[in-house]
Amino acid sequence: MIETLLPIVVLLFGLVLQVGLRRVLPLCGANVSPVAARLVFAAELLVAFLVAGAASASGADAEPTTRFGLALVFTACGLVAARIVAAAGLRAMALGDLAAGLRVANLAAALVIAGHVLATGWVAAAVFVGNALVDLRVSVLFFVIGQLSLHLLVWLFRLVTAYDDRQAIDDGNVAAATAQAGLSLAVGMLVAHAAGGEFLGLGASLRAYGLALVEALALLVVRQFVLQTLVFGKRPRLAGGFLDERVAAHDVGAGAIEAAAYVGAAWWVAAVL
């Protein structure tokens, strides 16, 4: 009976905890536009499903009661860690005054925050699972490494754009925000894929992680060569180009194509490589 109920109870626990964390450690601050707040909460809700679902596999070979306890612990730790890092990461990203943008219903700011929250949660879901409490040490270690990699890669990819990301978000450019959210999610998926493998010892696992992380370069190839040439019929460039021109001009369709290409490439890499 407990085997059947375990995933359901863990999911309900995760949802309740996420709502509580939203009140204790809000990402959007006070006086936020309801529309923008709901958009961010949609990402927070997805994170609860991701983390609780992954943590339910903890202690697969243990007794039912032990497995239940491990699932609850890993769910709680994953959600709390994701929340704290998401809040700190939003400040580190320095993409304009996002909180101010949310107060005036700037959907671009809300999209950027939602993408960042979902990317952080994706990494948490990949690492916060284990067969014993001692595995939490490995989870925390690779979560920290994964988050540092996530923020570094997103920052590096932002250098490729010809337009000013910060100003674009402040101006409410939904096209730029959509592309940025897709990039954050795609990098989060690749980092999760790199960090979520079987722990083979610290040295071997870090080497495997580093090699897997090189896959993130595929996103640059997709952006500057595949999209520029195959989709838009323009010459490939190492930086900037037609895609940036369309996104800077508030072309939401171009931003959506860029985001879809990022996420699709990340999903393909994680599934095939």
Short mmCIF file of all heavy atoms in Angstrom, two decimals, residues 81-123:
data_model
loop_
_atom_site.label_atom_id
_atom_site.label_comp_id
_atom_site.label_asym_id
_atom_site.label_seq_id
_atom_site.Cartn_x
_atom_site.Cartn_y
_atom_site.Cartn_z
N ALA A 81 16.99 24.12 -1.38
CA ALA A 81 18.23 24.51 -2.06
C ALA A 81 17.93 25.27 -3.35
O ALA A 81 18.56 26.30 -3.64
CB ALA A 81 19.07 23.27 -2.36
N ALA A 82 16.97 24.79 -4.12
CA ALA A 82 16.61 25.45 -5.37
C ALA A 82 16.08 26.86 -5.10
O ALA A 82 16.39 27.80 -5.85
CB ALA A 82 15.57 24.63 -6.12
N ARG A 83 15.33 27.00 -4.03
CA ARG A 83 14.75 28.31 -3.70
C ARG A 83 15.84 29.31 -3.33
O ARG A 83 15.85 30.45 -3.81
CB ARG A 83 13.78 28.13 -2.53
CG ARG A 83 12.92 29.34 -2.25
CD ARG A 83 11.83 29.40 -3.27
NE ARG A 83 10.97 30.53 -3.12
CZ ARG A 83 9.87 30.70 -3.84
NH1 ARG A 83 9.55 29.80 -4.74
NH2 ARG A 83 9.11 31.76 -3.70
N ILE A 84 16.73 28.90 -2.48
CA ILE A 84 17.80 29.79 -2.01
C ILE A 84 18.70 30.20 -3.17
O ILE A 84 19.03 31.38 -3.35
CB ILE A 84 18.62 29.12 -0.90
CG1 ILE A 84 17.76 28.93 0.35
CG2 ILE A 84 19.86 29.94 -0.57
CD1 ILE A 84 18.42 28.13 1.44
N VAL A 85 19.08 29.22 -4.00
CA VAL A 85 19.99 29.51 -5.11
C VAL A 85 19.29 30.35 -6.18
O VAL A 85 19.91 31.23 -6.80
CB VAL A 85 20.53 28.20 -5.70
CG1 VAL A 85 21.29 28.46 -6.99
CG2 VAL A 85 21.44 27.52 -4.69
N ALA A 86 18.01 30.10 -6.42
CA ALA A 86 17.27 30.89 -7.40
C ALA A 86 17.23 32.36 -6.98
O ALA A 86 17.43 33.26 -7.80
CB ALA A 86 15.86 30.35 -7.57
N ALA A 87 16.98 32.59 -5.70
CA ALA A 87 16.94 33.97 -5.19
C ALA A 87 18.30 34.64 -5.34
O ALA A 87 18.40 35.79 -5.77
CB ALA A 87 16.49 33.98 -3.74
N ALA A 88 19.36 33.92 -4.98
CA ALA A 88 20.71 34.48 -5.10
C ALA A 88 21.10 34.65 -6.56
O ALA A 88 21.75 35.63 -6.94
CB ALA A 88 21.72 33.58 -4.40
N GLY A 89 20.69 33.71 -7.41
CA GLY A 89 21.05 33.77 -8.82
C GLY A 89 20.42 34.94 -9.54
O GLY A 89 21.03 35.53 -10.44
N LEU A 90 19.20 35.30 -9.17
CA LEU A 90 18.55 36.44 -9.79
C LEU A 90 19.33 37.73 -9.55
O LEU A 90 19.41 38.61 -10.41
CB LEU A 90 17.12 36.58 -9.26
CG LEU A 90 16.14 35.51 -9.75
CD1 LEU A 90 14.80 35.65 -9.05
CD2 LEU A 90 15.96 35.62 -11.26
N ARG A 91 19.92 37.83 -8.37
CA ARG A 91 20.74 39.00 -8.07
C ARG A 91 22.06 38.95 -8.85
O ARG A 91 22.54 39.95 -9.36
CB ARG A 91 21.02 39.09 -6.58
CG ARG A 91 19.76 39.31 -5.74
CD ARG A 91 20.07 39.37 -4.25
NE ARG A 91 18.89 39.60 -3.46
CZ ARG A 91 18.08 38.65 -3.01
NH1 ARG A 91 18.34 37.39 -3.29
NH2 ARG A 91 17.01 38.95 -2.31
N ALA A 92 22.63 37.73 -8.94
CA ALA A 92 23.92 37.59 -9.62
C ALA A 92 23.78 37.82 -11.12
O ALA A 92 24.72 38.30 -11.78
CB ALA A 92 24.49 36.20 -9.36
N MET A 93 22.63 37.47 -11.71
CA MET A 93 22.43 37.63 -13.15
C MET A 93 22.43 39.10 -13.56
O MET A 93 22.85 39.44 -14.67
CB MET A 93 21.11 36.99 -13.57
CG MET A 93 21.13 35.47 -13.59
SD MET A 93 19.48 34.80 -13.77
CE MET A 93 19.06 35.32 -15.41
N ALA A 94 21.95 39.97 -12.64
CA ALA A 94 21.98 41.42 -12.88
C ALA A 94 21.34 41.81 -14.21
O ALA A 94 21.85 42.63 -14.96
CB ALA A 94 23.42 41.94 -12.83
N LEU A 95 20.18 41.22 -14.50
CA LEU A 95 19.45 41.58 -15.73
C LEU A 95 18.48 42.72 -15.44
O LEU A 95 17.26 42.57 -15.54
CB LEU A 95 18.70 40.37 -16.28
CG LEU A 95 19.48 39.45 -17.18
CD1 LEU A 95 18.67 38.22 -17.53
CD2 LEU A 95 19.88 40.17 -18.44
N GLY A 96 18.99 43.85 -15.07
CA GLY A 96 18.11 44.98 -14.82
C GLY A 96 17.39 44.85 -13.50
O GLY A 96 17.62 43.94 -12.71
N ASP A 97 16.50 45.79 -13.22
CA ASP A 97 15.73 45.79 -11.99
C ASP A 97 14.49 44.92 -12.20
O ASP A 97 13.41 45.41 -12.53
CB ASP A 97 15.33 47.22 -11.61
CG ASP A 97 14.72 47.29 -10.22
OD1 ASP A 97 14.48 46.22 -9.63
OD2 ASP A 97 14.48 48.41 -9.73
N LEU A 98 14.65 43.61 -12.04
CA LEU A 98 13.55 42.69 -12.32
C LEU A 98 12.37 42.91 -11.39
O LEU A 98 11.21 42.84 -11.80
CB LEU A 98 14.04 41.24 -12.21
CG LEU A 98 15.11 40.82 -13.21
CD1 LEU A 98 15.47 39.36 -13.00
CD2 LEU A 98 14.64 41.04 -14.62
N ALA A 99 12.66 43.19 -10.12
CA ALA A 99 11.57 43.41 -9.16
C ALA A 99 10.73 44.62 -9.57
O ALA A 99 9.50 44.59 -9.51
CB ALA A 99 12.14 43.61 -7.76
N ALA A 100 11.38 45.68 -9.99
CA ALA A 100 10.65 46.86 -10.44
C ALA A 100 9.81 46.54 -11.67
O ALA A 100 8.70 47.02 -11.83
CB ALA A 100 11.62 48.00 -10.73
N GLY A 101 10.38 45.71 -12.55
CA GLY A 101 9.64 45.30 -13.74
C GLY A 101 8.38 44.53 -13.40
O GLY A 101 7.34 44.69 -14.03
N LEU A 102 8.45 43.69 -12.39
CA LEU A 102 7.27 42.92 -12.00
C LEU A 102 6.19 43.81 -11.41
O LEU A 102 5.00 43.52 -11.53
CB LEU A 102 7.67 41.84 -10.98
CG LEU A 102 8.57 40.73 -11.50
CD1 LEU A 102 8.81 39.69 -10.42
CD2 LEU A 102 7.99 40.05 -12.73
N ARG A 103 6.58 44.90 -10.77
CA ARG A 103 5.59 45.79 -10.17
C ARG A 103 4.77 46.51 -11.23
O ARG A 103 3.65 46.96 -10.96
CB ARG A 103 6.28 46.80 -9.25
CG ARG A 103 6.76 46.18 -7.93
CD ARG A 103 7.12 47.25 -6.92
NE ARG A 103 8.34 47.96 -7.28
CZ ARG A 103 9.56 47.55 -6.92
NH1 ARG A 103 9.70 46.45 -6.21
NH2 ARG A 103 10.63 48.25 -7.27
N VAL A 104 5.30 46.64 -12.43
CA VAL A 104 4.55 47.30 -13.49
C VAL A 104 4.12 46.29 -14.55
O VAL A 104 3.89 46.63 -15.71
CB VAL A 104 5.40 48.42 -14.15
CG1 VAL A 104 5.71 49.50 -13.15
CG2 VAL A 104 6.70 47.86 -14.74
N ALA A 105 3.99 45.04 -14.14
CA ALA A 105 3.51 43.97 -15.02
C ALA A 105 4.39 43.81 -16.26
O ALA A 105 3.90 43.63 -17.37
CB ALA A 105 2.05 44.22 -15.42
N ASN A 106 5.70 43.90 -16.07
CA ASN A 106 6.65 43.67 -17.15
C ASN A 106 6.77 42.17 -17.36
O ASN A 106 7.47 41.48 -16.63
CB ASN A 106 8.01 44.28 -16.80
CG ASN A 106 9.01 44.18 -17.95
OD1 ASN A 106 8.85 43.36 -18.85
ND2 ASN A 106 10.04 45.01 -17.90
N LEU A 107 6.07 41.65 -18.38
CA LEU A 107 6.06 40.22 -18.62
C LEU A 107 7.45 39.72 -19.04
O LEU A 107 7.76 38.54 -18.84
CB LEU A 107 5.03 39.87 -19.68
CG LEU A 107 3.57 40.10 -19.29
CD1 LEU A 107 2.65 39.61 -20.41
CD2 LEU A 107 3.23 39.40 -17.99
N ALA A 108 8.26 40.59 -19.62
CA ALA A 108 9.62 40.19 -19.98
C ALA A 108 10.41 39.83 -18.73
O ALA A 108 11.10 38.81 -18.68
CB ALA A 108 10.31 41.33 -20.74
N ALA A 109 10.30 40.66 -17.69
CA ALA A 109 10.99 40.36 -16.43
C ALA A 109 10.48 39.07 -15.82
O ALA A 109 11.25 38.25 -15.31
CB ALA A 109 10.81 41.53 -15.46
N ALA A 110 9.16 38.87 -15.88
CA ALA A 110 8.57 37.66 -15.31
C ALA A 110 9.04 36.42 -16.06
O ALA A 110 9.31 35.37 -15.45
CB ALA A 110 7.05 37.75 -15.35
N LEU A 111 9.17 36.50 -17.38
CA LEU A 111 9.64 35.37 -18.17
C LEU A 111 11.08 35.00 -17.83
O LEU A 111 11.43 33.82 -17.72
CB LEU A 111 9.53 35.69 -19.66
CG LEU A 111 8.17 35.47 -20.32
CD1 LEU A 111 8.18 36.03 -21.73
CD2 LEU A 111 7.81 33.99 -20.34
N VAL A 112 11.92 36.01 -17.66
CA VAL A 112 13.32 35.76 -17.31
C VAL A 112 13.41 35.06 -15.96
O VAL A 112 14.16 34.08 -15.78
CB VAL A 112 14.12 37.07 -17.30
CG1 VAL A 112 15.52 36.84 -16.72
CG2 VAL A 112 14.23 37.63 -18.70
N ILE A 113 12.65 35.55 -14.97
CA ILE A 113 12.66 34.94 -13.64
C ILE A 113 12.13 33.51 -13.71
O ILE A 113 12.71 32.59 -13.12
CB ILE A 113 11.82 35.77 -12.66
CG1 ILE A 113 12.50 37.12 -12.42
CG2 ILE A 113 11.65 35.03 -11.34
CD1 ILE A 113 11.72 38.04 -11.51
N ALA A 114 11.03 33.31 -14.45
CA ALA A 114 10.45 31.97 -14.56
C ALA A 114 11.43 30.99 -15.19
O ALA A 114 11.57 29.85 -14.74
CB ALA A 114 9.16 32.04 -15.37
N GLY A 115 12.11 31.42 -16.24
CA GLY A 115 13.09 30.54 -16.88
C GLY A 115 14.23 30.19 -15.94
O GLY A 115 14.69 29.04 -15.91
N HIS A 116 14.69 31.17 -15.18
CA HIS A 116 15.78 30.92 -14.24
C HIS A 116 15.35 29.96 -13.13
O HIS A 116 16.09 29.05 -12.76
CB HIS A 116 16.23 32.25 -13.64
CG HIS A 116 17.26 32.11 -12.57
ND1 HIS A 116 18.56 31.73 -12.82
CD2 HIS A 116 17.17 32.26 -11.22
CE1 HIS A 116 19.23 31.67 -11.68
NE2 HIS A 116 18.41 32.00 -10.70
N VAL A 117 14.14 30.16 -12.61
CA VAL A 117 13.62 29.29 -11.55
C VAL A 117 13.49 27.86 -12.05
O VAL A 117 13.88 26.90 -11.37
CB VAL A 117 12.25 29.81 -11.05
CG1 VAL A 117 11.56 28.77 -10.17
CG2 VAL A 117 12.42 31.11 -10.28
N LEU A 118 12.97 27.70 -13.25
CA LEU A 118 12.78 26.35 -13.80
C LEU A 118 14.12 25.67 -14.07
O LEU A 118 14.28 24.47 -13.82
CB LEU A 118 11.96 26.44 -15.09
CG LEU A 118 11.46 25.13 -15.67
CD1 LEU A 118 10.70 24.31 -14.63
CD2 LEU A 118 10.58 25.40 -16.88
N ALA A 119 15.10 26.43 -14.57
CA ALA A 119 16.43 25.86 -14.82
C ALA A 119 17.07 25.39 -13.52
O ALA A 119 17.66 24.31 -13.44
CB ALA A 119 17.32 26.89 -15.50
N THR A 120 16.96 26.22 -12.48
CA THR A 120 17.51 25.85 -11.17
C THR A 120 16.84 24.60 -10.63
O THR A 120 17.50 23.69 -10.10
CB THR A 120 17.33 27.01 -10.18
OG1 THR A 120 17.98 28.18 -10.70
CG2 THR A 120 17.93 26.68 -8.83
N GLY A 121 15.53 24.53 -10.75
CA GLY A 121 14.79 23.36 -10.28
C GLY A 121 15.12 22.11 -11.06
O GLY A 121 15.14 21.00 -10.50
N TRP A 122 15.39 22.25 -12.35
CA TRP A 122 15.74 21.09 -13.18
C TRP A 122 17.03 20.45 -12.68
O TRP A 122 17.15 19.23 -12.60
CB TRP A 122 15.88 21.52 -14.63
CG TRP A 122 15.66 20.41 -15.62
CD1 TRP A 122 16.50 19.37 -15.88
CD2 TRP A 122 14.53 20.25 -16.47
NE1 TRP A 122 15.97 18.55 -16.85
CE2 TRP A 122 14.76 19.07 -17.23
CE3 TRP A 122 13.35 20.97 -16.68
CZ2 TRP A 122 13.83 18.61 -18.18
CZ3 TRP A 122 12.45 20.51 -17.62
CH2 TRP A 122 12.69 19.34 -18.36
N VAL A 123 17.99 21.31 -12.33
CA VAL A 123 19.26 20.79 -11.80
C VAL A 123 19.03 20.13 -10.44
O VAL A 123 19.57 19.06 -10.15
CB VAL A 123 20.29 21.93 -11.67
CG1 VAL A 123 21.59 21.41 -11.04
CG2 VAL A 123 20.59 22.53 -13.05
#
